[in-house]
Amino acid sequence: MLSIIQAAGWPIWPLIACSVLALALIFERFISLKSTRIIPPKLLDEAISVSSQSLPGPDVVGKLAQNSALGEVLATGLRTLNSNPRTSEADLRAAMEGAGRVVAHRLEKYLSALATIASAAPLLGLLGTVVGMIEIFGSQGGATGGMGSGNPAQLAHGISVALYNTAFGLMVAIPALIFWRYFRSRVDAYLLTLELSSEQFVRHLLRHKK
């Protein structure tokens, strides 16, 4: 591998940096987007059960907010009613929607960076290809005997730079694109579940308010 990197020349180093960054982002998103961190099973039922008789106190609401992303949204509705029991339906929905937007922004964190790497890696590979071709033509142009009498070592090196960088750019871009699409669909599914759960909890709180 070291010999390949040395043969590819300097253009491969930005690709190596992109590959390390993409790997770090993928691991981070796998950890952060666990279902237990976002939408724990039965959390909505537990929140409805706890608030069925009366609104829970600040300690319970605080623990709910720290539980998960869904708990944070549900706790916002409880805090809104605790601070103003006569709050309107529109204000209650607005408060929970605001919390949902904050959660959505957190779920989408680093996805744009991963998409950028997936888009930029092939271009960096193309840059390496162009650099390799420049070396090829430079070695041929410097020969005194015409196109057929260039330095074979320089010619082989230029071809290797072009091919190694092209291949490595695709090797970085393809997994980054696959994981970006995977995380994107996972976040979309989480957001849909959060929206439906929040709507169900709002209806529960409105019945409780009456």
Side-chain angles (χ1 to χ4, degrees):
M1 180 62 69
L2 182 59
S3 62
I4 292 176
I5 293 175
Q6 291 174 344
W10 68 264
I12 204 171
W13 290 107
L15 285 171
I16 293 176
C18 286
S19 66
V20 173
L21 180 59
L23 189 61
L25 293 178
I26 289 170
F27 275 114
E28 192 278 337
R29 287 292 85 189
F30 264 121
I31 295 173
S32 298
L33 294 179
K34 287 182 178 180
S35 59
T36 54
R37 289 174 173 260
I38 311 301
I39 305 176
K42 299 182 179 180
L43 179 63
L44 177 61
D45 296 335
E46 293 175 359
I48 292 176
S49 176
V50 168
S51 59
S52 60
Q53 300 297 327
S54 61
L55 294 178
D59 293 340
V60 176
V61 175
K63 291 180 180 179
L64 177 62
Q66 296 175 0
N67 179 272
S68 60
L70 175 59
E72 184 177 340
V73 176
L74 301 182
T76 301
L78 294 174
R79 286 196 181 108
T80 302
L81 282 182
N82 278 329
S83 61
N84 183 13
R86 295 184 179 181
T87 187
S88 63
E89 178 181 351
D91 291 339
L92 179 60
R93 291 183 182 274
M96 295 187 68
E97 287 174 1
R101 284 192 291 270
V102 173
V103 169
H105 178 73
R106 191 163 63 244
L107 294 181
E108 294 172 349
K109 188 178 181 181
Y110 300 136
L111 291 187
S112 59
L114 194 59
T116 301
I117 292 175
S119 302
L123 298 179
L124 292 174
L126 180 61
L127 174 62
T129 301
V130 172
V131 170
M133 297 303 294
I134 290 174
E135 290 190 10
I136 292 174
F137 287 111
S139 64
Q140 293 292 336
T144 58
M147 287 295 294
S149 59
N151 190 326
Q154 289 182 342
L155 179 61
H157 177 71
I159 294 175
S160 67
V161 169
L163 296 181
Y164 284 142
N165 281 278
T166 301
F168 201 79
L170 293 176
M171 289 170 61
V172 174
I174 292 173
L177 179 61
I178 291 174
F179 281 106
W180 174 77
R181 295 287 296 180
Y182 169 73
F183 291 134
R184 180 72 264 175
S185 62
R186 195 166 180 175
V187 167
D188 290 340
Y190 282 148
L191 293 179
L192 177 59
T193 304
L194 283 171
E195 182 178 353
L196 296 176
S197 300
S198 299
E199 178 63 27
Q200 183 178 348
F201 195 64
V202 166
R203 292 197 299 268
H204 162 72
L205 293 179
L206 292 175
R207 288 194 302 267
H208 181 275
K209 180 183 173 184
K210 295 178 182 179

